[in-house]
Structures are given as C-alpha cells and as structure tokens.
Amino acid sequence: MKLYSAAAIVLLSHVAESFVSPTTLSVTSTLSSTAEPLVEVNNDADEQKKQKRQQLKQALLGKIGSPSSNNFISDPLLVDPMTKEPLSLSLKGPILGSNAGVRLTLKSASDSERVFEGRSDSYINLLEPISDDKDEKTSVSTSPILASLLTLTPPPVRSLVANISSNSDLEYIPMRDLFTDPSVSFAYERGWRQGFAAAGFPGADKEFDLAKEYFAPVIDKKRSSGENNVVVDMSCATGLFTRRFTTSGEYDRVIACDYSDSMLTEARRRIRADSDIASSNTQLDLVRCDVAKIPFKSDSIDAFHAGAAMHCWPEIEESLKEIHRVLVPGGRYFASTFLGTYFQNVANLEKTSNGGSDVEPSMQAFQYFPTVEGLRDLLLNAGFDDDKVDVEVIGAACVIIRCEK
C-alpha cells in the first residue's frame, strides 16, 4: 500500500469533495473513493458538514500507514530534526467548500513540547518547533530586509551588527541568510541562476539529465522490487529542479527542502502554475529545514540532489554527514557547486575589508572550496567510501559531485 504524507492526505481531502481547482492536484487522488458514504444528519447543513469533515479525516488519515505502537499516525519519513523521533500528525482547517489550505500539526513522539506546524498550500515547517525557547538567538532570516543589507556590508560590520554582544538575540550567517531575501527569490529564475553558466554550469535541463542518469540504477532497483522510491531536492530554492523531478514520471515521491521561507513561497507559486505538475501522479511535499539537521529517518532516501547549493551551507561537515545518514544503502547523492576560485574576488574583498586578516568562516559570503581534493576529503569524512566518490570539474569552476552510500 502506498504511504502518504500529511500534505498529500490534506490535498486528497480536497479532491474527495471536488472543491479544489485542478492546479493544486500534485498527488494521486485514488484514496478519495475509499471514504465512507456521507450521511445527512437531520438535514442540518452545519451538522452535516461536521460529520463529513470527521469522516473524511478518519478515512484519509487511516491510509498513510498503520498506527505505531503508541497508536498515533505518522509520516513514513519525517522525524524531529533534533531527536530523530517520529512525528505524529493531525489536521485542522477547511475541508468542505473551500480551496484554502489545511493546517498541519506534527508532534514529537517522545516530547509533547516539540510541536511543528505547516500548511498544505505552502510548506511543512520543520526548521524549528513552535514551542522553541524564546531566549535562544533568532535568525536574521526572520528579517529579510536586514538579511540583504547585512550581506552587502564588510565583514567587520557584519560581525558588529549581528553579534553586538554575547546576549544578542540576533544571529546572522551571510551564506545562509542572503537567500531569505524575497528579492533574491524573485530574481533566482529571472537571470540569477542563468548567470551560473559563466562558471561552467551546464544549464538546468542538462544538469537534471545528469542527475536523473546517476539516480537511475537505484530507482530502477526499487521499481523492480515493487517498492516506492523517494528523491530529495535539498536547497531547492524556487523549485527549478523540483518541478523537473516531479514531472519526469520517474519518482514516486519528491520532497523539496529549503531553509528560506521566501524561496519555498516562490517555489509553491511556481508549482501551482505548472499544469504538468497538476496532472502528475508523483507525491510532492515542500519542507522547510536545515540541511545540517535533516528531518528524515535514517536509511530512508533513495536519491538526494543539491543543485548549486553546498557553497551556501554554513555547517558543511555536519550537512554532508546528515546526507549520508538519510540515504539508503546504495542510495546516491548528486550535487553541483562552485570551486572556490570562482569567488576569489569576493574572498579577497572580504579579507581586505577585514584589515588583511582571514574572515571568520561564519561571516564569509560563501564556502570557498579551494580544491577537488578538499571536497573529496569532506565527502570521505562524511562516511562515503573513496571508490564511490567522484568529483568532476567542468568549465571554469563548476563542480559535479556523485556519491553512493
């Protein structure tokens, strides 16, 4: 039986009532026919709606898998990003007579204080629980305007503003928080990404073909055994590759992840506008998360993609270890990034503005990968075997990475 995520079940509930527009149908609707017959209750419209709501929720929630030993419903892949414990899920919101999204609540199996939320018409937020300690530092990503301004300032000023005292409640990391700026999200597919060609990037279509070709053996193996396959598009940005994975017909489930709220919002807008996604049978979910704390079960992901992303990961070592953890044995990782030489002018400017001293890594604009050997070492330290790691440079400074667990 196919396992469905919370987001998928919510969308199916809309399909079951036929109130949703075709552009929102990103998953199969085969379960809608399994709901129990809807019964009128004393011809009272409000009472009838209430009963229909409960029947639909019970019928649809029951299809995402058997209850655990603790008798709660959970997504087969999603976990608490910190504890890696399963997350129970519940739905709340309009099901009848409305196209509005449904709110999702996900609770840690072992700690009821760790509660996450999301919406079926946007994304599931697994970056941090809503009950997080308010005394902890707040990311500057919550202020996109400040994020964009800080990225343009010299390193000493960044440090002064972002870390003005040990008690500061503001945390700023340039390589991460630049992409929380809505103007960057708007520009990403309107010239920004196309500019990568100068470094040797082959273009989205060609890069997608390379990733699909590399993933094919593990996907074919899953398909031949009758199992569903899963591909993750990490740091998905506006969904440039997410949409290609979803419409290719090769994958049963696609999970698009990003740290940035504005990127995921733009990705959802583009997904809604894509008629090919509306007719696709691929299950598509959007998740906000940190790549250094991936909210997926260990040994659960068949194929993991990160296009032009690794240079924007502040905790690069932990991120690669997390990718290795979540891949199934034999699972594959495909990534593209920049060799550090491409950012040499930026790095020199940072050093000059910092009085000639090297800039603290957390205040750099990007990760500067100096050599292919250095990248290989990062991947080997993450757990990948030497004979299953390939790092290739194409053009001036585009790096293509292929790894198998």
Side-chain angles (χ1 to χ4, degrees):
M1 177 184 294
K2 186 171 183 178
L3 300 177
Y4 288 83
S5 74
I9 296 305
V10 172
L11 292 173
L12 285 169
S13 67
H14 286 280
V15 178
E17 282 298 294
S18 300
F19 284 109
V20 71
S21 62
T23 57
T24 64
L25 305 184
S26 62
V27 296
T28 57
S29 57
T30 55
L31 293 185
S32 59
S33 63
T34 66
E36 296 176 5
L38 305 179
V39 181
E40 293 188 8
V41 181
N42 299 325
N43 294 320
D44 186 291
D46 290 338
E47 202 58 39
Q48 183 180 357
K49 278 190 175 183
K50 182 178 179 180
Q51 182 169 342
K52 286 180 180 180
R53 179 193 298 270
Q54 291 304 116
Q55 288 177 342
L56 284 169
K57 283 185 178 181
Q58 292 171 5
L60 294 170
L61 276 173
K63 297 300 180 182
I64 66 175
S66 302
S68 71
S69 58
N70 293 323
N71 198 34
F72 65 82
I73 301 298
S74 65
D75 185 279
L77 298 179
L78 301 181
V79 298
D80 185 311
M82 291 296 293
T83 67
K84 311 306 182 189
E85 294 286 335
L87 295 169
S88 64
L89 64 91
S90 59
L91 319 178
K92 184 176 182 180
I95 286 185
L96 305 177
S98 172
N99 290 339
V102 176
R103 189 175 71 194
L104 316 174
T105 299
L106 302 95
K107 295 183 180 180
S108 175
S110 61
D111 186 352
S112 60
E113 295 299 313
R114 292 184 62 79
V115 180
F116 302 84
E117 288 188 334
R119 292 189 64 85
S120 62
D121 55 355
S122 57
Y123 58 81
I124 301 170
N125 190 353
L126 295 180
L127 181 62
E128 54 192 8
I130 59 175
S131 56
D132 251 9
D133 187 346
K134 300 303 180 183
D135 292 333
E136 293 183 359
K137 283 193 173 185
T138 300
S139 169
V140 77
S141 63
T142 58
S143 176
I145 295 177
L146 181 57
S148 60
L149 290 175
L150 280 172
T151 302
L152 299 175
T153 63
V157 180
R158 295 178 199 160
S159 299
L160 179 64
V161 175
N163 302 289
I164 194 166
S165 76
S166 59
N167 295 323
S168 173
D169 61 354
L170 182 67
E171 180 184 54
Y172 175 67
I173 301 176
M175 68 182 76
R176 179 193 71 191
D177 292 323
L178 167 65
F179 296 94
T180 63
D181 180 2
S183 65
V184 176
S185 304
F186 178 83
Y188 192 77
E189 290 189 46
R190 296 177 175 90
W192 182 299
R193 188 54 160 79
Q194 291 83 344
F196 293 0
F201 278 72
D205 288 334
K206 176 61 176 177
E207 191 173 331
F208 170 71
D209 287 341
L210 292 173
K212 185 174 69 170
E213 179 183 5
Y214 185 62
F215 293 155
V218 66
I219 299 302
D220 291 343
K221 183 177 179 181
K222 271 295 188 72
R223 186 176 291 116
S224 64
S225 66
E227 299 177 80
N228 290 336
N229 62 70
V230 182
V231 61
V232 167
D233 186 20
M234 181 59 70
S235 298
C236 67
T238 56
L240 184 67
F241 291 97
T242 300
R243 301 192 300 275
R244 287 168 169 79
F245 284 122
T246 304
T247 58
S248 69
E250 296 291 324
Y251 310 101
D252 296 305
R253 183 176 183 180
V254 174
I255 306 178
C257 304
D258 207 281
Y259 184 94
S260 169
D261 165 83
S262 63
M263 284 292 191
L264 288 170
T265 299
E266 176 69 9
R268 178 60 74 184
R269 186 191 69 78
R270 289 176 176 272
I271 287 167
R272 287 197 192 102
D274 193 322
S275 59
D276 290 332
I277 290 180
S279 59
S280 171
N281 287 330
T282 297
Q283 180 180 326
L284 173 60
D285 299 290
L286 270 59
V287 175
R288 189 182 184 199
C289 67
D290 184 345
V291 65
K293 302 178 182 67
I294 300 177
F296 304 143
K297 292 180 179 179
S298 298
D299 304 323
S300 64
I301 305 301
D302 302 298
F304 200 108
H305 173 262
M310 284 173 54
H311 54 283
C312 298
W313 295 348
E315 299 175 86
I316 185 65
E317 294 88 355
E318 288 303 315
S319 299
L320 292 173
K321 288 177 182 177
E322 278 287 88
I323 291 171
H324 184 270
R325 177 185 66 82
V326 302
L327 282 172
V328 300
R332 294 191 165 190
Y333 173 50
F334 181 98
S336 61
T337 189
F338 292 90
L339 203 60
T341 53
Y342 186 76
F343 298 121
Q344 193 61 56
N345 290 339
V346 177
N348 290 340
L349 181 60
E350 287 183 333
K351 187 170 183 177
T352 299
S353 65
N354 200 39
S357 300
D358 289 333
V359 177
E360 182 183 346
S362 65
M363 287 293 110
Q364 293 177 178
F366 303 103
Q367 294 282 1
Y368 305 130
F369 303 121
T371 64
V372 167
E373 291 73 21
L375 275 166
R376 286 186 63 87
D377 286 343
L378 284 171
L379 294 161
L380 296 179
N381 290 338
F384 293 101
D385 293 334
D386 183 68
D387 61 343
K388 295 183 178 179
V389 172
D390 180 70
V391 182
E392 174 189 8
V393 178
I394 59 175
C398 174
V399 181
I400 299 294
I401 293 171
R402 300 174 177 87
C403 301
E404 182 178 336
K405 180 175 176 179

